[in-house]
Amino acid sequence: SGSNCAFRMGGEEMVCVVNCPPADAIAAAERLRKAVEDTVHTVMHNGEPTEVKVTISVGIHEMQSDKKITPENVAEIFDAEFKQSDNAVYAAKETGRNRVVSADTDTMRDYLVSRAAEAIIEANQLPETVNEVRENILKDFTLDDISDHLFTVDTPLAERVCGQIAEFTAANEYFAEKEGKSAVEEMVQ
């Protein structure tokens, strides 16, 4: 248990600590990213009102310390866990900005498969639940297969999930480069 909180970490970085499952944190971050992207701000420039838009890059990480947290080590554990989120933010920025990246590959893949299931159900008006379609996807398809299928589906959700799969792949390539790995395909499948 715990509470949600947000605070400024420094510069332009904000931190949100949310007490929820990682997929819910990704969904909330995506809603926030989209809301910021869609907001038009009017500012004065040379005495004239000018409309501007801004975007955000978001890094997600589920904090799971293998050490018991005590008052003596809480700062050390938080710093180590926060570094994972920070790496995800840098991956988001380095791979195109205006996106949500999870430092936890399996969490992001699971989220994307669920979103793909929603898009497939919506496009085909299927009676199955998201979990039923999700399980079929996990058994039989790679993310590339899912993206290829969704590319033929003409809905905004399918289009966004295709984009998110591409962003996920780019982030994995970024993480693999940083770690010196060459088998990105293994991470995506």
Side-chain angles (χ1 to χ4, degrees):
S1 80
S3 357
N4 302 327
C5 63
F7 52 92
R8 183 176 177 177
M9 190 68 174
E12 297 176 347
E13 288 190 347
M14 300 293 295
V15 172
C16 296
V17 177
V18 292
N19 184 26
C20 67
D24 292 350
I26 293 169
E30 180 59 27
R31 286 191 306 273
L32 177 62
R33 184 208 61 77
K34 182 73 173 134
V36 170
E37 175 186 52
D38 290 346
T39 302
V40 177
H41 304 274
T42 303
V43 298
M44 297 302 286
H45 179 69
N46 294 331
E48 296 290 323
T50 303
E51 291 185 348
V52 296
K53 292 176 95 175
V54 296
T55 61
I56 60 172
S57 299
V58 181
I60 303 282
H61 172 67
E62 179 181 17
M63 294 182 76
Q64 293 184 331
S65 175
D66 53 358
K67 297 179 186 175
K68 181 178 180 184
I69 299 174
T70 66
E72 293 77 29
N73 70 5
V74 68
E76 174 188 337
I77 290 172
F78 178 82
D79 287 347
E81 293 289 323
F82 176 75
K83 182 74 174 146
Q84 299 298 313
S85 295
D86 203 38
N87 288 342
V89 170
Y90 283 107
K93 290 178 178 180
E94 290 294 320
T95 60
R97 299 181 178 267
N98 192 28
R99 58 188 62 191
V100 175
V101 171
S102 174
D104 311 305
T105 304
D106 291 339
T107 298
M108 193 68 182
R109 184 178 191 285
D110 189 55
Y111 169 78
L112 290 172
V113 169
S114 294
R115 295 290 289 166
E118 291 173 30
I120 290 167
I121 289 169
E122 174 186 274
N124 298 295
Q125 299 178 350
L126 299 176
E128 288 94 336
T129 66
V130 169
N131 281 339
E132 290 169 334
V133 173
R134 186 181 161 287
E135 291 307 313
N136 287 331
I137 291 171
L138 287 171
K139 281 192 306 193
D140 300 324
F141 301 100
T142 66
L143 284 178
D144 285 340
D145 295 333
I146 296 165
S147 188
D148 289 346
H149 174 72
L150 290 177
F151 190 71
T152 67
V153 176
D154 190 24
T155 68
L157 177 57
E159 183 179 317
R160 179 63 194 136
V161 174
C162 280
Q164 287 177 305
I165 290 171
E167 292 167 4
F168 173 73
T169 302
N172 278 336
E173 289 170 357
Y174 173 83
F175 286 132
E177 257 181 47
K178 279 192 75 162
E179 294 174 13
K181 294 181 182 174
S182 59
V184 174
E185 292 80 24
E186 289 179 27
M187 297 171 76
V188 175
Q189 306 226 357

Tab-separated table of all heavy atoms in Angstrom, residues 3-46:
chain	number	residue	atom	x	y	z
A	3	SER	N	0.738	5.799	-1.150
A	3	SER	CA	-0.007	6.843	-1.828
A	3	SER	C	0.707	7.285	-3.077
A	3	SER	O	1.875	7.032	-3.263
A	3	SER	CB	-0.203	8.058	-0.968
A	3	SER	OG	0.283	7.968	0.286
A	4	ASN	N	-0.050	7.954	-3.923
A	4	ASN	CA	0.505	8.541	-5.134
A	4	ASN	C	1.051	9.915	-4.793
A	4	ASN	O	0.500	10.611	-3.950
A	4	ASN	CB	-0.576	8.666	-6.207
A	4	ASN	CG	-1.203	7.330	-6.541
A	4	ASN	OD1	-0.535	6.310	-6.499
A	4	ASN	ND2	-2.475	7.333	-6.866
A	5	CYS	N	2.133	10.296	-5.466
A	5	CYS	CA	2.669	11.635	-5.257
A	5	CYS	C	3.437	12.069	-6.494
A	5	CYS	O	3.821	11.245	-7.314
A	5	CYS	CB	3.556	11.701	-4.019
A	5	CYS	SG	5.031	10.674	-4.098
A	6	ALA	N	3.597	13.352	-6.637
A	6	ALA	CA	4.368	13.899	-7.751
A	6	ALA	C	5.267	14.988	-7.189
A	6	ALA	O	4.883	15.709	-6.265
A	6	ALA	CB	3.435	14.470	-8.814
A	7	PHE	N	6.470	15.092	-7.745
A	7	PHE	CA	7.384	16.134	-7.312
A	7	PHE	C	8.379	16.440	-8.415
A	7	PHE	O	8.577	15.646	-9.328
A	7	PHE	CB	8.102	15.754	-6.010
A	7	PHE	CG	8.786	14.407	-6.037
A	7	PHE	CD1	10.123	14.299	-6.407
A	7	PHE	CD2	8.097	13.258	-5.690
A	7	PHE	CE1	10.755	13.068	-6.421
A	7	PHE	CE2	8.729	12.015	-5.704
A	7	PHE	CZ	10.059	11.926	-6.076
A	8	ARG	N	8.979	17.614	-8.314
A	8	ARG	CA	9.998	18.025	-9.276
A	8	ARG	C	11.329	17.435	-8.846
A	8	ARG	O	11.747	17.579	-7.704
A	8	ARG	CB	10.066	19.553	-9.308
A	8	ARG	CG	11.042	20.065	-10.317
A	8	ARG	CD	10.990	21.567	-10.368
A	8	ARG	NE	11.987	22.053	-11.303
A	8	ARG	CZ	12.136	23.310	-11.604
A	8	ARG	NH1	11.356	24.212	-11.062
A	8	ARG	NH2	13.053	23.681	-12.449
A	9	MET	N	12.001	16.794	-9.792
A	9	MET	CA	13.276	16.151	-9.488
A	9	MET	C	14.435	17.098	-9.779
A	9	MET	O	15.489	16.955	-9.211
A	9	MET	CB	13.396	14.864	-10.301
A	9	MET	CG	14.543	14.009	-9.905
A	9	MET	SD	14.258	13.344	-8.257
A	9	MET	CE	15.635	12.260	-8.108
A	10	GLY	N	14.238	18.022	-10.662
A	10	GLY	CA	15.297	18.956	-11.029
A	10	GLY	C	15.159	19.320	-12.489
A	10	GLY	O	14.714	18.518	-13.303
A	11	GLY	N	15.492	20.535	-12.815
A	11	GLY	CA	15.381	20.969	-14.203
A	11	GLY	C	13.962	20.823	-14.689
A	11	GLY	O	13.031	21.306	-14.065
A	12	GLU	N	13.813	20.119	-15.802
A	12	GLU	CA	12.487	19.902	-16.370
A	12	GLU	C	11.917	18.542	-15.999
A	12	GLU	O	10.885	18.143	-16.511
A	12	GLU	CB	12.565	20.006	-17.898
A	12	GLU	CG	12.985	21.366	-18.396
A	12	GLU	CD	13.153	21.390	-19.911
A	12	GLU	OE1	13.181	20.322	-20.536
A	12	GLU	OE2	13.251	22.498	-20.445
A	13	GLU	N	12.585	17.811	-15.114
A	13	GLU	CA	12.132	16.465	-14.775
A	13	GLU	C	11.164	16.479	-13.605
A	13	GLU	O	11.427	17.065	-12.566
A	13	GLU	CB	13.316	15.552	-14.448
A	13	GLU	CG	14.120	15.178	-15.661
A	13	GLU	CD	15.144	14.089	-15.371
A	13	GLU	OE1	15.408	13.786	-14.184
A	13	GLU	OE2	15.677	13.546	-16.346
A	14	MET	N	10.047	15.784	-13.824
A	14	MET	CA	9.052	15.573	-12.781
A	14	MET	C	9.001	14.074	-12.506
A	14	MET	O	9.213	13.269	-13.408
A	14	MET	CB	7.672	16.039	-13.239
A	14	MET	CG	7.600	17.507	-13.611
A	14	MET	SD	7.823	18.596	-12.201
A	14	MET	CE	6.394	18.230	-11.235
A	15	VAL	N	8.710	13.704	-11.270
A	15	VAL	CA	8.585	12.307	-10.894
A	15	VAL	C	7.184	12.098	-10.338
A	15	VAL	O	6.708	12.888	-9.526
A	15	VAL	CB	9.632	11.921	-9.826
A	15	VAL	CG1	9.381	10.520	-9.298
A	15	VAL	CG2	11.033	12.046	-10.381
A	16	CYS	N	6.542	11.048	-10.809
A	16	CYS	CA	5.256	10.629	-10.254
A	16	CYS	C	5.445	9.230	-9.702
A	16	CYS	O	5.897	8.335	-10.414
A	16	CYS	CB	4.169	10.601	-11.320
A	16	CYS	SG	3.793	12.200	-12.024
A	17	VAL	N	5.129	9.055	-8.443
A	17	VAL	CA	5.161	7.737	-7.830
A	17	VAL	C	3.712	7.315	-7.690
A	17	VAL	O	2.928	7.992	-7.017
A	17	VAL	CB	5.863	7.772	-6.455
A	17	VAL	CG1	5.822	6.407	-5.794
A	17	VAL	CG2	7.296	8.275	-6.594
A	18	VAL	N	3.360	6.241	-8.402
A	18	VAL	CA	1.970	5.792	-8.392
A	18	VAL	C	1.887	4.382	-7.836
A	18	VAL	O	2.730	3.539	-8.106
A	18	VAL	CB	1.324	5.869	-9.791
A	18	VAL	CG1	1.161	7.312	-10.229
A	18	VAL	CG2	2.121	5.100	-10.821
A	19	ASN	N	0.885	4.166	-7.040
A	19	ASN	CA	0.676	2.878	-6.396
A	19	ASN	C	-0.353	2.096	-7.209
A	19	ASN	O	-1.547	2.150	-6.941
A	19	ASN	CB	0.195	3.103	-4.960
A	19	ASN	CG	0.057	1.804	-4.209
A	19	ASN	OD1	0.728	0.833	-4.521
A	19	ASN	ND2	-0.821	1.791	-3.226
A	20	CYS	N	0.132	1.419	-8.263
A	20	CYS	CA	-0.752	0.648	-9.132
A	20	CYS	C	0.064	-0.366	-9.912
A	20	CYS	O	1.292	-0.278	-9.935
A	20	CYS	CB	-1.515	1.566	-10.081
A	20	CYS	SG	-0.490	2.406	-11.302
A	21	PRO	N	-0.601	-1.302	-10.574
A	21	PRO	CA	0.144	-2.243	-11.422
A	21	PRO	C	0.864	-1.499	-12.547
A	21	PRO	O	0.384	-0.450	-13.017
A	21	PRO	CB	-0.947	-3.165	-11.986
A	21	PRO	CG	-2.087	-3.038	-11.029
A	21	PRO	CD	-2.022	-1.629	-10.493
A	22	PRO	N	2.008	-2.005	-13.004
A	22	PRO	CA	2.797	-1.318	-14.034
A	22	PRO	C	2.014	-1.011	-15.317
A	22	PRO	O	2.171	0.063	-15.886
A	22	PRO	CB	3.949	-2.277	-14.310
A	22	PRO	CG	4.050	-3.122	-13.108
A	22	PRO	CD	2.681	-3.216	-12.532
A	23	ALA	N	1.170	-1.929	-15.778
A	23	ALA	CA	0.398	-1.674	-17.001
A	23	ALA	C	-0.544	-0.488	-16.811
A	23	ALA	O	-0.755	0.299	-17.740
A	23	ALA	CB	-0.383	-2.917	-17.424
A	24	ASP	N	-1.083	-0.327	-15.610
A	24	ASP	CA	-1.945	0.829	-15.324
A	24	ASP	C	-1.133	2.125	-15.324
A	24	ASP	O	-1.615	3.165	-15.755
A	24	ASP	CB	-2.654	0.664	-13.976
A	24	ASP	CG	-3.686	-0.458	-13.979
A	24	ASP	OD1	-3.995	-0.998	-15.066
A	24	ASP	OD2	-4.169	-0.806	-12.882
A	25	ALA	N	0.114	2.049	-14.827
A	25	ALA	CA	0.991	3.227	-14.845
A	25	ALA	C	1.315	3.624	-16.282
A	25	ALA	O	1.319	4.812	-16.625
A	25	ALA	CB	2.273	2.954	-14.062
A	26	ILE	N	1.557	2.636	-17.141
A	26	ILE	CA	1.836	2.922	-18.553
A	26	ILE	C	0.608	3.560	-19.200
A	26	ILE	O	0.724	4.559	-19.914
A	26	ILE	CB	2.257	1.648	-19.309
A	26	ILE	CG1	3.617	1.157	-18.793
A	26	ILE	CG2	2.313	1.900	-20.817
A	26	ILE	CD1	3.991	-0.232	-19.284
A	27	ALA	N	-0.575	2.995	-18.927
A	27	ALA	CA	-1.811	3.552	-19.497
A	27	ALA	C	-2.035	4.991	-19.020
A	27	ALA	O	-2.393	5.868	-19.820
A	27	ALA	CB	-3.007	2.672	-19.136
A	28	ALA	N	-1.812	5.252	-17.739
A	28	ALA	CA	-1.975	6.607	-17.208
A	28	ALA	C	-0.956	7.559	-17.827
A	28	ALA	O	-1.289	8.696	-18.189
A	28	ALA	CB	-1.837	6.598	-15.682
A	29	ALA	N	0.275	7.099	-17.976
A	29	ALA	CA	1.314	7.932	-18.590
A	29	ALA	C	0.972	8.231	-20.049
A	29	ALA	O	1.177	9.355	-20.524
A	29	ALA	CB	2.672	7.239	-18.501
A	30	GLU	N	0.423	7.250	-20.748
A	30	GLU	CA	0.028	7.467	-22.147
A	30	GLU	C	-1.115	8.475	-22.235
A	30	GLU	O	-1.120	9.349	-23.115
A	30	GLU	CB	-0.360	6.132	-22.799
A	30	GLU	CG	-0.793	6.235	-24.235
A	30	GLU	CD	0.243	6.822	-25.190
A	30	GLU	OE1	1.452	6.727	-24.936
A	30	GLU	OE2	-0.178	7.404	-26.218
A	31	ARG	N	-2.074	8.388	-21.320
A	31	ARG	CA	-3.171	9.381	-21.306
A	31	ARG	C	-2.625	10.781	-21.028
A	31	ARG	O	-3.026	11.755	-21.668
A	31	ARG	CB	-4.230	9.001	-20.265
A	31	ARG	CG	-5.109	7.839	-20.671
A	31	ARG	CD	-6.315	7.653	-19.746
A	31	ARG	NE	-5.969	7.545	-18.335
A	31	ARG	CZ	-5.644	6.410	-17.721
A	31	ARG	NH1	-5.614	5.279	-18.385
A	31	ARG	NH2	-5.353	6.405	-16.439
A	32	LEU	N	-1.698	10.891	-20.080
A	32	LEU	CA	-1.078	12.179	-19.763
A	32	LEU	C	-0.299	12.705	-20.963
A	32	LEU	O	-0.420	13.877	-21.334
A	32	LEU	CB	-0.158	12.050	-18.548
A	32	LEU	CG	0.616	13.304	-18.149
A	32	LEU	CD1	-0.328	14.431	-17.759
A	32	LEU	CD2	1.576	12.978	-17.010
A	33	ARG	N	0.495	11.829	-21.610
A	33	ARG	CA	1.269	12.228	-22.787
A	33	ARG	C	0.356	12.771	-23.880
A	33	ARG	O	0.595	13.823	-24.447
A	33	ARG	CB	2.066	11.031	-23.333
A	33	ARG	CG	2.986	11.390	-24.502
A	33	ARG	CD	3.224	10.212	-25.417
A	33	ARG	NE	2.026	9.706	-26.037
A	33	ARG	CZ	1.390	10.284	-27.074
A	33	ARG	NH1	1.836	11.395	-27.597
A	33	ARG	NH2	0.302	9.738	-27.570
A	34	LYS	N	-0.747	12.078	-24.112
A	34	LYS	CA	-1.691	12.487	-25.156
A	34	LYS	C	-2.378	13.807	-24.791
A	34	LYS	O	-2.552	14.676	-25.645
A	34	LYS	CB	-2.724	11.373	-25.369
A	34	LYS	CG	-3.724	11.657	-26.444
A	34	LYS	CD	-3.111	11.551	-27.813
A	34	LYS	CE	-4.172	11.671	-28.884
A	34	LYS	NZ	-3.812	12.561	-29.954
A	35	ALA	N	-2.756	13.966	-23.536
A	35	ALA	CA	-3.410	15.208	-23.097
A	35	ALA	C	-2.476	16.406	-23.258
A	35	ALA	O	-2.882	17.478	-23.713
A	35	ALA	CB	-3.876	15.083	-21.647
A	36	VAL	N	-1.212	16.227	-22.896
A	36	VAL	CA	-0.236	17.317	-23.048
A	36	VAL	C	-0.044	17.633	-24.523
A	36	VAL	O	-0.052	18.800	-24.931
A	36	VAL	CB	1.109	16.962	-22.364
A	36	VAL	CG1	2.196	17.968	-22.726
A	36	VAL	CG2	0.931	16.887	-20.851
A	37	GLU	N	0.100	16.602	-25.340
A	37	GLU	CA	0.303	16.788	-26.782
A	37	GLU	C	-0.879	17.525	-27.435
A	37	GLU	O	-0.684	18.352	-28.323
A	37	GLU	CB	0.476	15.423	-27.451
A	37	GLU	CG	0.576	15.470	-28.957
A	37	GLU	CD	0.592	14.081	-29.571
A	37	GLU	OE1	-0.297	13.262	-29.267
A	37	GLU	OE2	1.520	13.828	-30.355
A	38	ASP	N	-2.093	17.238	-26.972
A	38	ASP	CA	-3.296	17.813	-27.582
A	38	ASP	C	-3.650	19.208	-27.074
A	38	ASP	O	-4.551	19.851	-27.600
A	38	ASP	CB	-4.497	16.889	-27.354
A	38	ASP	CG	-4.403	15.603	-28.149
A	38	ASP	OD1	-3.565	15.525	-29.076
A	38	ASP	OD2	-5.162	14.662	-27.838
A	39	THR	N	-2.963	19.675	-26.038
A	39	THR	CA	-3.270	20.980	-25.453
A	39	THR	C	-2.536	22.094	-26.198
A	39	THR	O	-1.332	22.016	-26.407
A	39	THR	CB	-2.882	21.015	-23.960
A	39	THR	OG1	-3.593	19.969	-23.281
A	39	THR	CG2	-3.215	22.358	-23.330
A	40	VAL	N	-3.292	23.100	-26.592
A	40	VAL	CA	-2.717	24.272	-27.261
A	40	VAL	C	-2.647	25.397	-26.231
A	40	VAL	O	-3.631	25.696	-25.554
A	40	VAL	CB	-3.568	24.705	-28.476
A	40	VAL	CG1	-3.001	25.963	-29.106
A	40	VAL	CG2	-3.662	23.570	-29.484
A	41	HIS	N	-1.475	25.984	-26.101
A	41	HIS	CA	-1.260	27.087	-25.159
A	41	HIS	C	-1.095	28.381	-25.952
A	41	HIS	O	-0.429	28.400	-26.987
A	41	HIS	CB	0.015	26.857	-24.333
A	41	HIS	CG	0.011	25.557	-23.607
A	41	HIS	ND1	-0.564	25.399	-22.374
A	41	HIS	CD2	0.505	24.344	-23.944
A	41	HIS	CE1	-0.420	24.154	-21.981
A	41	HIS	NE2	0.225	23.491	-22.921
A	42	THR	N	-1.683	29.449	-25.459
A	42	THR	CA	-1.502	30.748	-26.085
A	42	THR	C	-0.528	31.545	-25.232
A	42	THR	O	-0.749	31.743	-24.036
A	42	THR	CB	-2.846	31.498	-26.218
A	42	THR	OG1	-3.737	30.677	-26.972
A	42	THR	CG2	-2.668	32.828	-26.912
A	43	VAL	N	0.572	31.958	-25.853
A	43	VAL	CA	1.590	32.756	-25.172
A	43	VAL	C	1.810	34.031	-25.974
A	43	VAL	O	1.515	34.099	-27.167
A	43	VAL	CB	2.920	31.981	-25.021
A	43	VAL	CG1	2.721	30.741	-24.172
A	43	VAL	CG2	3.509	31.616	-26.362
A	44	MET	N	2.337	35.017	-25.314
A	44	MET	CA	2.645	36.275	-25.999
A	44	MET	C	4.065	36.205	-26.537
A	44	MET	O	4.995	35.826	-25.832
A	44	MET	CB	2.496	37.457	-25.045
A	44	MET	CG	1.077	37.659	-24.530
A	44	MET	SD	-0.132	37.911	-25.839
A	44	MET	CE	0.260	39.571	-26.338
A	45	HIS	N	4.220	36.514	-27.826
A	45	HIS	CA	5.529	36.536	-28.468
A	45	HIS	C	5.607	37.821	-29.285
A	45	HIS	O	4.808	38.029	-30.189
A	45	HIS	CB	5.710	35.304	-29.361
A	45	HIS	CG	7.025	35.279	-30.069
A	45	HIS	ND1	8.217	35.082	-29.402
A	45	HIS	CD2	7.342	35.436	-31.371
A	45	HIS	CE1	9.208	35.116	-30.272
A	45	HIS	NE2	8.708	35.337	-31.481
A	46	ASN	N	6.546	38.687	-28.923
A	46	ASN	CA	6.676	39.997	-29.579
A	46	ASN	C	5.363	40.772	-29.549
A	46	ASN	O	4.970	41.389	-30.529
A	46	ASN	CB	7.161	39.843	-31.023
A	46	ASN	CG	8.567	39.306	-31.104
A	46	ASN	OD1	9.379	39.515	-30.202
A	46	ASN	ND2	8.856	38.598	-32.181
